[in-house]
Amino acid sequence: MKFEDSRIRILVDTPLNKSGEFVLYWMTAQRRSTWNPALQHAADLAEMLNRPLLVVEPFSSDYSFASDRLVTFVVQGMLDNRKSFEELGIRYIPWVETHQERGAGLLRRMASKSCVVVIDDFPCGHPRFVLERAQKILDTRLHAVDGCGVIPMSWTDKAPPLAHTFRRVVQRRILDVILDGPKENPLESRSSVLSIPDNQYESLMESLDFEGTPLEWLWRVAEGGITGKEALNPLPIDHDVFPVVNCRGGSVEANRLLEVFINKKLAHYSDGRNNPSNCTTSRLSPWLHFGHISALEVVHRVLEKYRWDPSMSSEKVSGSRHGWWGLDEAPESFLDQIITWRDLGFHFAYHRPDYASFESIPEWAQMTLINHANDPRPSYSFQELEEAETHDEIWNAAQRELKETGVIHNYLRMLWGKRILEWAPDPVTASKWMVDLNDRWALDGRDPNSYTGIFWVLGRHDRAWGPERPVFGKVRFMSSANTARKLDLSGYLSQFGSDTSDRIEG
DNA sequence: ATCGGCTCGCGCAA
DNA sequence: TGCGCGAAGCCGAT
């Protein structure tokens, strides 16, 4: 199968609209101008049709988890994209949905004037909803392009039950992606027809009755603080979920973090990744979630750094975690994260619409958890958990980290979940509480990977492990006491522990 | 400090 | 049909 074809799905199979004025890329998930197969495909179509390319980046404020935190992060990314597309000479319109106009109406209006619409394929959350709605309401030809991860989602035919299962797919086919994947710069050396001259652009926008979101408003939101808050106030979104301080969304910041990771942290990744007080992880998850950076770019940068070439990899497809690449331990274990574990979530959600519910965990886990659903347990209300008011200081610190920074350290996130399983009234409620807390507060919530993490707690992609215990049954058990023994939590607790509550100001 | 047992389903070899 | 093996753990024995 040709690489290009494996990432494209035709959602509305009508003929190309020859009287259309442009090709529209509706950028709902891969919010970047590089390593973007949807942008590449849209530009290919525009060149073929001899029409200009119009890129619209929408963000919906009309869904349950839209908040000051998410809008700020996305708007910061829009300013980066605006600059990139301006330099490339391609028309780009950022648009944050308001009361006045809904996304569906705007998309329909713009689609009627375009030859074909390209949209990001995405297996869950709001981007999936937008995609499915577009398929229902559009008459214009509609292509969905999968720029989610490294291995195209069409390369599996069912949800992989274990990482080991999926790793075989990775090892069998990753060279196809590395040698013939999406381009770093999809708009490089293109026909000038893709650009729209100023005078033509003005009349086009007038006929579309559309201006996008005013630049001045975007600037105010991106600035954050009081200015940002005032700008966001009129939107019908969750204002209690405040923007993360000292955190900037967008491709520019994502690339800076990538440089720091490659040059300073990656070599110590194996030892440091589980140390919450001095973490050597990439911290890129939120930027990956919003598509501000591509996982494929990260992979290329790692392979470049270690001067890897295909002859170093093993011909044997064992699914084993170590040794396949022929690299050191550190890059190999990071590549397993960014490829196997990240893509696993996308492939799972792609094949399983119930990816965020209890029924998505394996049968042995459902059985054992239900068998123990009536075991007595310590209990907290959802509010107590959300407010980080438990007797477990390690857990409270993790919950505070989530609320303040929008992420939880990767090792403590497992403990965070295991304790919610312990404290919620029953395992089904536990899964709902984890999803709700994470969707609301995490910058990378509502992502397939968030669900992988949450449902791993309940046994997904895991096996029965250890003796049968109360509440957990045969599901892998973790405790705060052991975590405290195993990790150096001193720095973490002084940052997020309760006795420092006066550290938060403003 | 390190080691085995706990436990189960998948994919592949036979 | 059997076998090897697996995201991160825990516990008790040495």
Side-chain angles (χ1 to χ4, degrees):
Chain A
M1 196 194 299
K2 194 165 162 286
F3 168 78
E4 275 299 293
D5 302 331
S6 54
R7 294 200 185 242
I8 299 165
R9 291 196 293 148
I10 313 295
L11 295 186
V12 175
D13 195 5
T14 50
L16 294 160
N17 174 13
K18 298 283 185 195
S19 60
E21 293 173 51
F22 51 82
V23 169
L24 175 65
Y25 171 28
W26 196 252
M27 183 194 266
T28 56
Q30 309 309 329
R31 301 171 181 273
R32 62 177 179 270
S33 58
T34 58
W35 300 96
N36 185 336
L39 180 59
Q40 186 175 327
H41 180 58
D44 287 346
L45 289 169
E47 264 184 347
M48 184 187 87
L49 292 159
N50 209 32
R51 292 290 198 292
L53 172 62
L54 192 58
V55 179
V56 176
E57 183 181 352
F59 191 78
S60 176
S61 51
D62 184 28
Y63 75 109
S64 27
F65 296 105
S67 61
D68 286 14
R69 175 168 298 183
L70 302 189
V71 174
T72 301
F73 197 88
V74 168
V75 163
Q76 288 165 339
M78 286 172 169
L79 290 174
D80 289 351
N81 286 337
R82 182 181 162 272
K83 191 153 178 278
S84 302
F85 282 102
E86 195 172 282
E87 285 165 10
L88 291 159
I90 298 297
R91 295 293 171 173
Y92 160 83
I93 311 173
W95 184 67
V96 177
E97 188 181 66
T98 58
H99 302 281
Q100 283 78 36
E101 174 146 42
R102 292 287 174 81
L106 178 65
L107 176 57
R108 196 179 318 180
R109 191 144 44 85
M110 296 195 81
S112 69
K113 299 222 173 198
S114 70
C115 305
V116 51
V117 178
V118 174
I119 194 168
D120 287 315
D121 207 348
F122 200 83
C124 61
H126 200 69
R128 180 174 179 152
F129 169 76
V130 171
L131 173 101
E132 287 171 354
R133 189 180 51 188
Q135 184 173 24
K136 282 196 199 96
I137 64 171
L138 294 191
D139 303 318
T140 312
R141 188 174 180 82
L142 177 66
H143 293 190
V145 183
D146 165 16
C148 292
V150 176
I151 305 291
M153 293 187 286
S154 68
W155 284 5
T156 47
D157 47 21
K158 63 182 171 61
L162 298 168
H164 187 255
T165 319
F166 183 63
R167 201 176 288 111
R168 290 172 190 276
V169 179
V170 173
Q171 293 176 351
R172 217 170 354 243
R173 305 204 55 183
I174 183 97
L175 293 186
D176 297 345
V177 178
I178 290 171
L179 300 174
D180 182 30
K183 295 175 185 163
E184 176 170 5
N185 295 302
L187 298 179
E188 206 169 51
S189 6
R190 293 282 185 175
S191 151
S192 61
V193 78
L194 265 59
S195 304
I196 311 176
D198 286 349
N199 55 343
Q200 215 179 310
Y201 183 69
E202 271 167 40
S203 61
L204 177 63
M205 289 299 104
E206 214 162 286
S207 74
L208 286 167
D209 188 24
F210 177 55
E211 287 176 3
T213 300
L215 185 54
E216 197 253 334
W217 185 85
L218 297 176
W219 275 332
R220 283 163 58 211
V221 170
E223 193 180 316
I226 309 258
T227 312
K229 196 171 164 48
E230 279 170 5
L232 287 166
N233 252 353
L235 290 186
I237 59 177
D238 185 342
H239 298 296
D240 294 333
V241 179
F242 51 89
V244 175
V245 291
N246 299 324
C247 170
R248 192 174 177 95
S251 300
V252 171
E253 176 67 0
N255 281 286
R256 190 189 69 81
L257 288 170
L258 177 59
E259 286 309 304
V260 172
F261 174 68
I262 297 280
N263 295 318
K264 304 236 160 85
K265 296 172 154 188
L266 178 53
H268 315 285
Y269 183 74
S270 308
D271 305 324
R273 54 189 284 216
N274 283 341
N275 178 353
S277 300
N278 180 23
C279 196
T280 58
T281 57
S282 75
R283 295 178 51 231
L284 280 171
S285 182
W287 289 264
L288 285 163
H289 168 65
F290 285 108
H292 291 159
I293 192 167
S294 157
L296 195 54
E297 172 172 15
V298 178
V299 169
H300 274 271
R301 294 284 287 110
V302 172
L303 296 178
E304 255 169 49
K305 175 77 178 178
Y306 286 86
R307 300 176 199 284
W308 177 87
D309 74 79
S311 70
M312 294 161 73
S313 63
S314 164
E315 280 170 33
K316 211 173 126 229
V317 171
S318 66
S320 173
R321 227 162 358 129
H322 301 288
W324 187 84
W325 293 91
L327 291 169
D328 298 342
E329 160 95 24
E332 286 221 344
S333 51
F334 177 72
L335 288 169
D336 198 47
Q337 298 301 308
I338 190 79
I339 304 172
T340 308
W341 279 97
R342 182 167 183 279
D343 274 12
L344 177 65
F346 281 93
H347 285 254
F348 191 91
Y350 184 72
H351 296 290
R352 293 284 299 259
D354 61 352
Y355 58 83
S357 72
F358 185 78
E359 287 69 37
S360 71
I361 67 174
E363 208 169 291
W364 70 264
Q366 289 190 48
M367 301 264 287
T368 194
L369 288 171
I370 286 166
N371 281 340
H372 288 269
N374 295 322
D375 293 356
R377 64 195 74 203
S379 72
Y380 292 104
S381 67
F382 182 83
Q383 278 70 25
E384 286 171 309
L385 295 183
E386 189 162 42
E387 300 299 319
E389 285 169 357
T390 77
H391 66 275
D392 180 338
E393 266 316 302
I394 298 174
W395 192 90
N396 291 347
Q399 174 64 16
R400 282 196 207 97
E401 184 190 16
L402 173 63
K403 288 178 74 175
E404 286 174 33
T405 72
V407 292
I408 305 183
H409 178 271
N410 56 344
Y411 191 93
L412 293 172
R413 189 178 48 223
M414 297 187 282
L415 179 68
W416 175 86
K418 293 286 184 186
R419 299 236 80 185
I420 293 176
L421 170 59
E422 211 174 333
W423 294 334
D426 60 81
V428 176
T429 307
S431 69
K432 289 194 178 116
W433 284 5
M434 284 190 269
V435 169
D436 286 349
L437 287 173
N438 194 69
D439 278 351
R440 183 170 188 224
W441 293 97
L443 280 167
D444 62 351
R446 313 148 310 279
D447 188 274
N449 285 277
S450 275
Y451 303 120
T452 301
I454 286 169
F455 288 92
W456 176 85
V457 164
L458 305 180
R460 189 201 282 177
H461 310 307
D462 202 12
R463 63 184 142 146
W465 198 268
E468 195 161 347
R469 293 166 200 273
V471 183
F472 286 81
K474 295 170 183 170
V475 168
R476 186 189 300 261
F477 176 75
M478 289 175 82
S479 77
S480 296
N482 279 309
T483 304
R485 228 169 284 139
K486 186 169 156 169
L487 304 180
D488 170 18
L489 292 172
S490 54
Y492 189 77
L493 288 175
S494 67
Q495 193 177 356
F496 298 110
S498 62
D499 53 344
T500 52
S501 55
D502 57 346
R503 78 209 171 290
I504 315 164
E505 277 153 12

